[in-house]
Amino acid sequence: MSASFALNDAADTAAAAQTAPADDAVDTRVLIMLDDAAPQPGAVASDRPLTDRLRFADITEPQVSVLDLGVTRGDGIFETLDAVDGYAQALEPHLARLVNSARLLDLPHPDLDLFREAITQAIAASTSPRLSVKLVLTRGVEGGTVSTGWVFAEPVPDFDEARRNGISVVTLDRGYRHDAPQTSPWLLQGAKTLSYAVNKAVYREAARRGADDVIFISSDGFVLEGPTSNVVLQFGTHLVTPSTDQGILRGTAQGAFFEYAEANGLTTEYRQVTPDELAVADSVWLSSSVRQIVPVREIDGAARTFDAKLNSAALEYLLARHR
Ligand code: PLP
């Protein structure tokens, strides 16, 4: 059997299924391939136990077909979550967002129980206490009806310096109006798709401009999000983030940051934000699941300060959360 074609062949997948890797194969990186990760609507529900629909796989071997639309077209969706001490952070918000992305791309509904089981097993199989766990779902092999899915866990990089001292950011035009999701839903703004070539290109543009990261501005002048993060502004005891009806992702780390803020006497708000507010806010942060929050110390070449006390207290909370 060719490993690259194993994924969409239920019989082969079942034959290759293992419940857990051998002890000597336990690594800090874990890949689990899913069998029929998003069944077609109306398909008879599989009566096979979830554990028989998971296959621990070798990350150094090909697992996905070159005909897979996720590979050839970036036609698929993903989520990345942080896991600490065996707990997947914001698991249900991440799964809800996966479902929303599937809906926006007209993909079948992901089998969430299968993803939950794979996440649990991936975390349990890794020796690392802190993991980035990626969930992927593609439209599958061109012409077929079976979606491709996997869960991949790996240790997180060290973000200590950026978290403590902050990062430099440039603002870039995203090229879409803030209301693109309403006027042009086919642009898939607000879906977390595998087509991240643009998001990668903006990081190269940021590097050319001598910056670490980017804040997107809509073509009609509203602050949106980063290429892989949300934007949070502080005005005294009030935190603000751009409202999510503007084609941006509902951030799980931003949500947890707001939870922390509200539990500690701060107020929070989702609304439209203008670029000049970035210059006058008491602090600006970028929030995302694995990096959590990083303060912005420079925007478009202008130095800015941040509330170091709130930064470290919120970060401590975010890093330690077990849900
Ligand atoms: N916006 C975009 C475009 C992203 O890719 C991400 C995460 O990768 C976020 C926002 C932040 O979302 P979360 O906090 O759930 O990681």
Side-chain angles (χ1 to χ4, degrees):
M1 176 184 70
S2 156
S4 59
F5 285 90
L7 195 57
N8 290 303
D9 184 321
D12 283 350
T13 307
Q18 308 161 21
T19 49
D23 272 358
D24 59 2
V26 169
D27 185 12
T28 50
R29 292 187 293 177
V30 180
L31 172 63
I32 300 180
M33 304 303 295
L34 310 180
D35 182 12
D36 205 6
Q40 289 295 324
V44 181
S46 171
D47 56 0
R48 289 163 56 213
L50 293 176
T51 46
D52 287 0
R53 293 170 57 205
L54 308 178
R55 177 172 61 88
F56 280 85
D58 184 345
I59 60 163
T60 65
E61 292 292 328
Q63 303 292 343
V64 176
S65 166
V66 294
L67 300 178
D68 195 288
L69 288 161
V71 176
T72 58
R73 306 281 184 189
D75 192 1
I77 56 178
F78 76 104
E79 282 295 319
T80 305
L81 53 87
D82 199 358
V84 58
D85 303 333
Y87 294 89
Q89 292 189 327
L91 174 60
E92 293 308 319
H94 277 288
L95 293 178
R97 205 166 62 185
L98 189 74
V99 168
N100 189 47
S101 297
R103 183 183 61 77
L104 289 167
L105 269 73
D106 303 307
L107 284 166
H109 196 285
D111 185 336
L112 297 187
D113 285 341
L114 188 60
F115 274 101
R116 284 190 195 96
E117 179 65 26
I119 293 163
T120 303
Q121 292 210 24
I123 295 171
S126 175
T127 52
S128 177
R130 179 139 232 140
L131 292 164
S132 149
V133 183
K134 194 167 184 179
L135 328 178
V136 179
L137 179 70
T138 85
R139 203 175 298 279
V141 168
E142 185 138 29
T145 55
V146 182
S147 49
T148 303
W150 67 88
V151 168
F152 175 61
E154 63 179 339
V156 302
D158 181 2
F159 295 113
D160 213 39
E161 149 75 18
R163 286 171 177 154
R164 247 182 309 114
N165 300 326
I167 57 170
S168 62
V169 161
V170 284
T171 54
L172 293 181
D173 180 3
R174 184 174 242 176
Y176 298 135
R177 287 172 51 91
H178 78 285
D179 56 358
Q182 291 78 41
T183 61
S184 321
W186 50 88
L187 293 176
L188 302 179
Q189 295 299 290
K192 198 165 165 68
T193 79
L194 291 174
S195 313
Y196 259 44
V198 168
N199 302 47
K200 291 291 187 186
V202 298
Y203 277 122
R204 294 194 297 275
E205 180 60 26
R208 279 192 284 273
R209 298 181 187 210
D212 303 314
D213 215 313
V214 168
I215 293 177
F216 282 130
I217 310 296
S218 69
S219 60
D220 53 345
F222 296 101
V223 174
L224 297 174
E225 61 185 347
T228 58
S229 60
N230 292 100
V231 182
V232 177
L233 299 86
Q234 177 197 13
F235 299 96
T237 57
H238 191 54
L239 298 190
V240 174
T241 197
S243 45
T244 52
D245 56 354
Q246 302 174 92
I248 63 181
L249 290 183
R250 175 171 289 279
T252 61
Q254 169 270 314
F257 190 9
F258 273 22
E259 260 174 41
Y260 170 82
E262 285 160 17
N264 286 277
L266 304 179
T267 51
T268 62
E269 187 181 11
Y270 293 81
R271 66 163 167 81
Q272 289 183 333
V273 173
T274 55
D276 46 351
E277 290 184 276
L278 294 172
V280 298
D282 295 317
S283 311
V284 176
W285 287 273
L286 297 188
S287 64
S288 54
S289 292
V290 177
R291 202 169 54 169
Q292 307 285 351
I293 52 171
V294 287
V296 175
R297 60 170 168 71
E298 187 185 298
I299 298 185
D300 293 332
R304 48 153 314 120
T305 55
F306 57 88
D307 183 336
K309 206 164 145 225
L310 177 57
N311 183 58
S312 52
L315 185 60
E316 193 181 337
Y317 166 83
L318 290 167
L319 283 167
R321 76 204 138 108
H322 279 178
R323 66 186 178 84

